[in-house]
Amino acid sequence: MKILFVSPEAVPFAKTGGLADAAGSLPKALKEIGHDIRVFIPGYKKIIGTQSPVATDVYQEKLPGSEVPFYFYEHEGYFGSREGLYQSKGVDYPDNLERFAAFCKAALLFLKEIKWRPDIIHCNDWQSALTLAYLRTIYKDDPFFRRTAAVYSIHNIGYLGLFPREKMLLTGLGPDQFTSDKLEFWGKIALTKAGIIYADAINTVSATYAKEIQTPEFGHGLDGLMRFRAADLYGIINGIDYSVWNPAVDHHIPRRYSPGTVTLKSKNKIELQKQNNLPQGAEIPVIAMITRLAPQKGFDILAGALDLILREGCQFILLGVGEPKYHDLMLRFMKKYPDQVSAHLKFDGMLAELIYAGADMFLMPSQYEPCGLGQLISFKYGTIPIVRKTGGLADTVHEFNPKTGAGEGFVFEEYTSRALYEAVRRAIDLFRTSAHWTALQKKVMQLDYSWDASAKKYVSLYMKALDKVIR
Ligand code: ADP
């Protein structure tokens, strides 16, 4: 199958969240099972430089360690000169609609220019959604795309791609597209609707999230539309790339280890404590979070639970950037508990690896979580997740039962500080009875969340989408 994967971010070129991880590793897995997959992303600052030109404004480079061609759309004003992907200092760029409309148009023009006709165009999140609207409006009768099916992945329905209605003209689409059954959403434009409406098949990144977004609680106003499209909606869990995330080969951590040598993990913990200026000791439970500082990630209930948690004598290490009010929150806790709390308010891939390797527990108290990668990476590093039962977290982590050995971590359901605190306490209790803890670590390190299985599911999804266009 020939697939063009269109994404606003992809590891290792540009990343703000989990979509980048998926875009950097799903294509690799699809290539390995024999598909001709190519990826189209914006050429942000720091990316453009070493690639070779392939078409008007498009440069190419192979994804490192693979044969997957990556195409970078070059536009100096929209992408090449910007420090951020979507925002600067926490504020969205005012011309995001223009930027990503240009990107989406370029994707289709590019295909025609290089005369490469994909079976599937697979778009991801609102930034690439207009591609599918153009495919099904402007290019509706173009024989070039007659047998091309449209697939849309929702990595987080909370990001609707909202813009004022006055910008409609700038999309290049007619006013007929600004209706409630198309792109209009409460008087504004919601770009993600272009993807949902025009895709032949839609997917989200876990089975539970696919169900959740059909409810008012999780649908962000699109639950009705998601129910309308339920027959074409699927949930495929993300995998992770074990050539990157693997403590046995990770060169960024002080001490490598595997399930058989999991006790060596404590060397990383001591180093982590040292680097954070925290008291060093293998017996002190270390709880970590690596996340965007967004309301979705559960900071409101964490704020009410952290004092109680710290009373248990643990340490808390956070790595993350996002909303200023959560930066302030973390700085306050750091000041109040200098021997227990350390917060790094930045994006730092290398430090993330040390934290995954050194922490005992990984906390994800998310309000909602489409898939969640943190818990999957934690598994591989023998770091036990403590999660709220929602979305992909509900699908991958179940409460550990010391009697039967079932379960992979600690789970709470109610979105309250109390429920969060109690789950942490259960984790700390088990940590202090170490025989069970080591057994649990070994078990989760051997779980398989590689992309192989999920890539095959994507292939069947593509087949379903193709069935709809090949008549
Ligand atoms: P989301 O996509 O909602 O941000 P995910 O759990 O799916 O959440 O993916 C987040 C990814 O980004 C993980 O790989 C996590 O380790 C990484 N990450 C988040 N914040 C940071 C940060 N400040 N520094 C380094 N890595 C981060």
Side-chain angles (χ1 to χ4, degrees):
M1 234 183 292
K2 290 195 289 186
I3 307 143
L4 184 75
F5 192 91
V6 186
S7 174
E9 50 185 271
V11 164
F13 303 108
K15 166 165 171 171
T16 66
L19 165 58
D21 293 286
S25 43
L26 169 61
K28 212 157 60 173
L30 286 166
K31 185 88 184 174
E32 274 159 21
I33 53 175
H35 298 283
D36 183 0
I37 177 151
R38 307 177 185 199
V39 182
F40 194 83
I41 71 167
Y44 299 103
K45 194 171 177 170
K46 296 192 198 108
I47 297 184
I48 296 289
T50 55
Q51 304 83 6
S52 40
V54 267
T56 315
D57 302 329
V58 178
Y59 288 74
Q60 180 189 349
E61 179 182 331
K62 292 260 171 73
L63 178 69
S66 85
E67 285 303 308
V68 181
F70 264 60
Y71 298 121
F72 302 90
Y73 168 56
E74 196 199 36
H75 188 297
E76 181 59 19
Y78 283 161
F79 299 107
S81 59
R82 310 277 173 119
E83 284 297 335
L85 272 55
Y86 320 123
Q87 39 176 247
S88 163
K89 300 195 175 78
V91 181
D92 286 347
Y93 291 125
D95 58 353
N96 273 345
L97 180 136
E98 295 91 307
R99 297 172 73 219
F100 287 99
F103 169 67
C104 293
K105 268 179 216 154
L108 299 177
L109 284 171
F110 167 67
L111 291 173
K112 293 196 74 170
E113 188 177 340
I114 64 163
K115 299 192 175 57
W116 190 70
R117 191 192 303 235
D119 300 299
I120 304 289
I121 297 181
H122 182 173
C123 295
N124 294 274
D125 280 355
W126 67 264
Q127 298 91 333
S128 58
L130 278 174
T131 314
L132 302 183
Y134 299 141
L135 183 70
R136 293 293 180 244
T137 58
I138 301 170
Y139 292 98
K140 178 162 61 82
D141 300 317
D142 189 327
F144 187 85
F145 291 116
R146 195 183 314 135
R147 283 164 171 267
T148 298
V151 172
Y152 186 61
S153 286
I154 300 169
H155 296 262
N156 189 336
I157 206 167
Y159 295 86
L160 299 167
L162 284 185
F163 296 94
R165 62 189 303 162
E166 295 73 33
K167 292 225 165 189
M168 194 61 202
L169 207 62
L170 298 171
T171 62
L173 297 167
D176 60 310
Q177 296 295 310
F178 192 73
T179 56
S180 63
D181 61 339
K182 301 254 166 62
L183 272 57
E184 191 264 349
F185 181 79
W186 299 99
K188 292 187 173 168
I189 308 165
L191 290 185
T192 196
K193 287 186 76 184
I196 300 168
I197 284 158
Y198 288 112
D200 298 301
I202 306 163
N203 98 295
T204 63
V205 287
S206 70
T208 294
Y209 193 60
K211 288 194 207 108
E212 285 174 344
I213 60 174
Q214 298 179 49
T215 66
E217 188 186 348
F218 294 96
H220 286 266
L222 294 180
D223 46 293
L225 178 60
M226 296 321 305
R227 289 194 297 277
F228 177 70
R229 295 239 47 192
D232 301 310
L233 174 62
Y234 302 85
I236 305 176
I237 195 93
N238 283 332
I240 55 173
D241 186 345
Y242 288 135
S243 69
V244 178
W245 300 109
N246 182 352
V249 298
D250 190 330
H251 285 277
H252 298 132
I253 60 176
R255 195 60 191 248
R256 291 193 279 283
Y257 60 98
S258 56
T261 56
V262 64
T263 46
L264 293 175
K265 182 173 161 63
S266 64
K267 304 241 190 277
N268 295 305
K269 173 169 167 177
I270 300 293
E271 185 59 32
L272 178 68
Q273 290 170 321
K274 207 193 247 165
Q275 287 193 18
N276 282 276
N277 294 319
L278 295 173
Q280 292 150 40
E283 73 294 346
I284 309 169
V286 174
I287 304 173
M289 280 180 83
I290 303 175
T291 182
R292 290 180 294 111
L293 301 188
Q296 173 207 339
K297 301 295 184 178
F299 286 98
D300 298 325
I301 58 169
L302 180 69
L306 206 47
D307 285 303
L308 280 173
I309 290 173
L310 292 165
R311 230 175 273 164
E312 300 289 327
C314 58
Q315 294 170 344
F316 181 82
I317 298 176
L318 173 131
L319 169 62
V321 267
E323 294 192 13
K325 66 172 173 182
Y326 300 129
H327 285 214
D328 295 346
L329 176 80
M330 291 323 305
L331 291 174
R332 273 204 309 279
F333 274 106
M334 201 155 108
K335 214 163 158 195
K336 190 165 165 194
Y337 301 96
D339 281 346
Q340 286 180 278
V341 176
S342 175
H344 305 264
L345 305 174
K346 59 175 178 178
F347 195 95
D348 185 338
M350 293 247 276
L351 178 58
E353 285 168 58
L354 177 64
I355 295 176
Y356 281 118
D360 299 301
M361 299 154 207
F362 194 83
L363 181 61
M364 299 179 79
S366 306
Q367 201 171 9
Y368 72 94
E369 194 60 74
C371 172
L373 292 177
Q375 83 280 23
L376 305 181
I377 298 172
S378 292
F379 283 154
K380 193 69 182 175
Y381 283 77
T383 306
I384 305 303
I386 304 168
V387 306
R388 192 170 97 80
K389 189 176 177 187
T390 182
L393 299 175
D395 292 349
T396 54
V397 188
H398 307 89
E399 178 81 15
F400 179 66
N401 180 335
K403 290 205 186 83
T404 63
E408 301 81 16
F410 298 87
V411 184
F412 64 100
E413 190 158 1
E414 237 182 78
Y415 189 66
T416 60
S417 300
R418 169 60 54 180
L420 160 57
Y421 161 68
E422 275 166 6
V424 171
R425 219 193 26 157
R426 291 197 300 279
I428 292 178
D429 284 350
L430 192 83
F431 175 81
R432 291 188 164 136
T433 59
S434 69
H436 281 311
W437 191 263
T438 312
L440 177 56
Q441 283 182 307
K442 287 190 179 163
K443 170 181 165 178
V444 299
M445 287 179 81
Q446 292 173 74
L447 297 171
D448 183 3
Y449 282 100
S450 61
W451 269 105
D452 306 358
S454 294
K456 288 187 187 118
K457 290 185 186 154
Y458 272 96
V459 174
S460 10
L461 178 77
Y462 294 156
M463 301 290 241
K464 288 194 179 100
L466 263 182
D467 264 356
K468 296 203 165 188
V469 293
I470 300 179
R471 295 173 268 263

Short mmCIF file of all heavy atoms in Angstrom, two decimals, residues 15 17-18 21 290-292 296-297 319-321 346-349 352 356 364 369 372-374 377, ligand 1:
data_model
loop_
_atom_site.label_atom_id
_atom_site.label_comp_id
_atom_site.label_asym_id
_atom_site.label_seq_id
_atom_site.Cartn_x
_atom_site.Cartn_y
_atom_site.Cartn_z
N LYS A 15 8.74 18.01 18.30
CA LYS A 15 7.86 17.31 19.24
C LYS A 15 7.31 18.25 20.30
O LYS A 15 8.05 19.02 20.90
CB LYS A 15 8.63 16.17 19.92
CG LYS A 15 7.94 15.58 21.15
CD LYS A 15 8.52 14.25 21.56
CE LYS A 15 7.97 13.81 22.91
NZ LYS A 15 8.31 12.44 23.29
N GLY A 17 4.34 16.62 21.96
CA GLY A 17 3.63 15.60 22.74
C GLY A 17 3.63 14.25 22.06
O GLY A 17 4.44 13.98 21.15
N GLY A 18 2.70 13.41 22.48
CA GLY A 18 2.66 12.01 22.06
C GLY A 18 2.47 11.80 20.55
O GLY A 18 2.94 10.80 20.00
N ASP A 21 5.69 11.17 18.84
CA ASP A 21 6.24 9.83 19.01
C ASP A 21 5.59 8.87 18.03
O ASP A 21 6.26 8.06 17.39
CB ASP A 21 6.00 9.34 20.45
CG ASP A 21 6.80 10.15 21.46
OD1 ASP A 21 8.01 9.96 21.53
OD2 ASP A 21 6.20 10.97 22.16
N ILE A 290 6.27 13.33 33.98
CA ILE A 290 6.85 14.01 32.82
C ILE A 290 5.68 14.31 31.90
O ILE A 290 5.05 13.40 31.36
CB ILE A 290 7.86 13.11 32.07
CG1 ILE A 290 8.97 12.65 33.02
CG2 ILE A 290 8.44 13.84 30.86
CD1 ILE A 290 9.95 11.66 32.41
N THR A 291 5.35 15.58 31.77
CA THR A 291 4.09 15.87 31.11
C THR A 291 3.96 17.32 30.71
O THR A 291 4.67 18.18 31.24
CB THR A 291 2.93 15.51 32.06
OG1 THR A 291 1.69 15.76 31.41
CG2 THR A 291 2.98 16.35 33.34
N ARG A 292 3.07 17.58 29.78
CA ARG A 292 2.68 18.96 29.53
C ARG A 292 1.93 19.45 30.77
O ARG A 292 1.16 18.69 31.36
CB ARG A 292 1.75 19.05 28.31
CG ARG A 292 2.43 18.76 27.00
CD ARG A 292 1.48 18.84 25.82
NE ARG A 292 0.46 17.82 25.84
CZ ARG A 292 -0.83 18.04 26.06
NH1 ARG A 292 -1.29 19.26 26.26
NH2 ARG A 292 -1.69 17.04 26.05
N GLN A 296 -5.73 19.03 31.60
CA GLN A 296 -6.01 17.62 31.25
C GLN A 296 -5.18 16.63 32.07
O GLN A 296 -5.60 15.51 32.35
CB GLN A 296 -5.69 17.43 29.75
CG GLN A 296 -5.76 16.01 29.28
CD GLN A 296 -4.85 15.74 28.06
OE1 GLN A 296 -4.45 16.66 27.34
NE2 GLN A 296 -4.52 14.48 27.84
N LYS A 297 -4.00 17.05 32.49
CA LYS A 297 -3.06 16.12 33.10
C LYS A 297 -3.26 15.94 34.61
O LYS A 297 -2.48 15.26 35.27
CB LYS A 297 -1.63 16.54 32.80
CG LYS A 297 -1.33 16.59 31.29
CD LYS A 297 -1.41 15.19 30.65
CE LYS A 297 -1.01 15.25 29.18
NZ LYS A 297 -1.05 13.91 28.55
N LEU A 319 9.01 16.95 35.45
CA LEU A 319 9.59 17.59 34.26
C LEU A 319 8.43 17.98 33.36
O LEU A 319 7.63 17.12 32.96
CB LEU A 319 10.51 16.59 33.54
CG LEU A 319 11.01 16.98 32.14
CD1 LEU A 319 11.85 18.25 32.17
CD2 LEU A 319 11.81 15.83 31.52
N GLY A 320 8.30 19.26 33.08
CA GLY A 320 7.18 19.65 32.22
C GLY A 320 7.11 21.14 31.96
O GLY A 320 7.64 21.93 32.73
N VAL A 321 6.47 21.48 30.87
CA VAL A 321 6.20 22.89 30.57
C VAL A 321 4.74 23.04 30.21
O VAL A 321 4.09 22.10 29.77
CB VAL A 321 7.00 23.44 29.36
CG1 VAL A 321 8.28 24.07 29.80
CG2 VAL A 321 7.19 22.40 28.29
N LYS A 346 10.74 22.74 31.89
CA LYS A 346 11.30 22.85 30.54
C LYS A 346 11.02 21.55 29.79
O LYS A 346 10.56 20.58 30.38
CB LYS A 346 12.81 23.08 30.63
CG LYS A 346 13.53 21.96 31.36
CD LYS A 346 15.04 22.13 31.35
CE LYS A 346 15.72 21.01 32.13
NZ LYS A 346 17.16 21.06 32.13
N PHE A 347 11.35 21.55 28.51
CA PHE A 347 11.27 20.31 27.73
C PHE A 347 12.69 19.79 27.59
O PHE A 347 13.58 20.50 27.15
CB PHE A 347 10.66 20.58 26.34
CG PHE A 347 10.24 19.30 25.67
CD1 PHE A 347 8.93 18.85 25.75
CD2 PHE A 347 11.18 18.53 24.98
CE1 PHE A 347 8.55 17.65 25.16
CE2 PHE A 347 10.80 17.33 24.39
CZ PHE A 347 9.48 16.90 24.48
N ASP A 348 12.92 18.55 28.00
CA ASP A 348 14.28 18.02 27.98
C ASP A 348 14.24 16.50 27.82
O ASP A 348 13.99 15.75 28.76
CB ASP A 348 14.97 18.42 29.30
CG ASP A 348 16.44 18.00 29.34
OD1 ASP A 348 16.84 17.09 28.60
OD2 ASP A 348 17.18 18.61 30.13
N GLY A 349 14.50 16.06 26.58
CA GLY A 349 14.40 14.63 26.27
C GLY A 349 15.38 13.77 27.04
O GLY A 349 15.05 12.67 27.48
N ALA A 352 14.38 13.41 30.60
CA ALA A 352 13.23 12.50 30.66
C ALA A 352 13.71 11.06 30.78
O ALA A 352 13.21 10.29 31.61
CB ALA A 352 12.35 12.68 29.42
N TYR A 356 12.76 8.50 33.78
CA TYR A 356 12.11 7.20 33.58
C TYR A 356 12.95 6.08 34.21
O TYR A 356 12.43 5.15 34.80
CB TYR A 356 11.90 6.90 32.10
CG TYR A 356 10.71 7.62 31.46
CD1 TYR A 356 10.89 8.52 30.42
CD2 TYR A 356 9.41 7.37 31.90
CE1 TYR A 356 9.81 9.17 29.82
CE2 TYR A 356 8.32 8.01 31.31
CZ TYR A 356 8.53 8.91 30.28
OH TYR A 356 7.46 9.55 29.70
N MET A 364 0.27 9.56 36.61
CA MET A 364 -0.55 10.16 35.55
C MET A 364 -1.99 10.29 36.02
O MET A 364 -2.83 9.45 35.72
CB MET A 364 -0.47 9.31 34.27
CG MET A 364 0.94 9.18 33.71
SD MET A 364 1.05 8.15 32.23
CE MET A 364 0.48 9.27 30.95
N GLU A 369 -7.21 10.97 28.98
CA GLU A 369 -5.92 10.61 28.38
C GLU A 369 -6.18 9.72 27.17
O GLU A 369 -6.49 8.54 27.31
CB GLU A 369 -5.07 9.86 29.42
CG GLU A 369 -3.62 9.72 29.04
CD GLU A 369 -2.93 11.06 28.87
OE1 GLU A 369 -2.64 11.73 29.88
OE2 GLU A 369 -2.71 11.45 27.70
N GLY A 372 -1.79 8.01 26.12
CA GLY A 372 -0.78 8.09 27.17
C GLY A 372 0.41 7.27 26.76
O GLY A 372 0.28 6.08 26.42
N LEU A 373 1.58 7.90 26.74
CA LEU A 373 2.80 7.15 26.42
C LEU A 373 3.62 6.95 27.67
O LEU A 373 4.36 5.98 27.79
CB LEU A 373 3.63 7.92 25.39
CG LEU A 373 3.00 8.02 24.01
CD1 LEU A 373 3.88 8.86 23.11
CD2 LEU A 373 2.81 6.64 23.41
N GLY A 374 3.47 7.87 28.61
CA GLY A 374 4.29 7.83 29.82
C GLY A 374 4.20 6.48 30.53
O GLY A 374 5.21 5.93 30.96
N ILE A 377 6.14 3.83 28.44
CA ILE A 377 7.60 3.99 28.58
C ILE A 377 8.01 3.53 29.98
O ILE A 377 8.99 2.80 30.15
CB ILE A 377 8.01 5.47 28.34
CG1 ILE A 377 7.64 5.90 26.92
CG2 ILE A 377 9.49 5.65 28.59
CD1 ILE A 377 7.82 7.39 26.65
P1 ADP B 1 0.48 14.12 25.35
O1 ADP B 1 0.56 13.66 23.93
O2 ADP B 1 -0.91 14.45 25.81
O3 ADP B 1 1.44 15.24 25.65
P2 ADP B 1 1.56 11.49 26.02
O4 ADP B 1 1.70 10.77 27.33
O5 ADP B 1 0.81 10.77 24.95
O6 ADP B 1 0.92 12.91 26.32
O7 ADP B 1 3.00 11.82 25.44
C1 ADP B 1 3.86 12.69 26.06
C2 ADP B 1 5.27 12.43 25.57
O8 ADP B 1 6.05 13.61 25.69
C3 ADP B 1 5.99 11.37 26.37
O9 ADP B 1 6.93 10.73 25.52
C4 ADP B 1 6.72 12.20 27.45
O10 ADP B 1 7.85 11.53 27.96
C5 ADP B 1 7.11 13.43 26.63
N1 ADP B 1 7.23 14.68 27.38
C6 ADP B 1 6.23 15.47 27.87
N2 ADP B 1 6.74 16.57 28.47
C7 ADP B 1 8.08 16.50 28.36
C8 ADP B 1 9.17 17.35 28.78
N3 ADP B 1 8.95 18.48 29.44
N4 ADP B 1 10.43 16.97 28.48
C9 ADP B 1 10.66 15.80 27.81
N5 ADP B 1 9.69 14.96 27.39
C10 ADP B 1 8.41 15.30 27.66
#
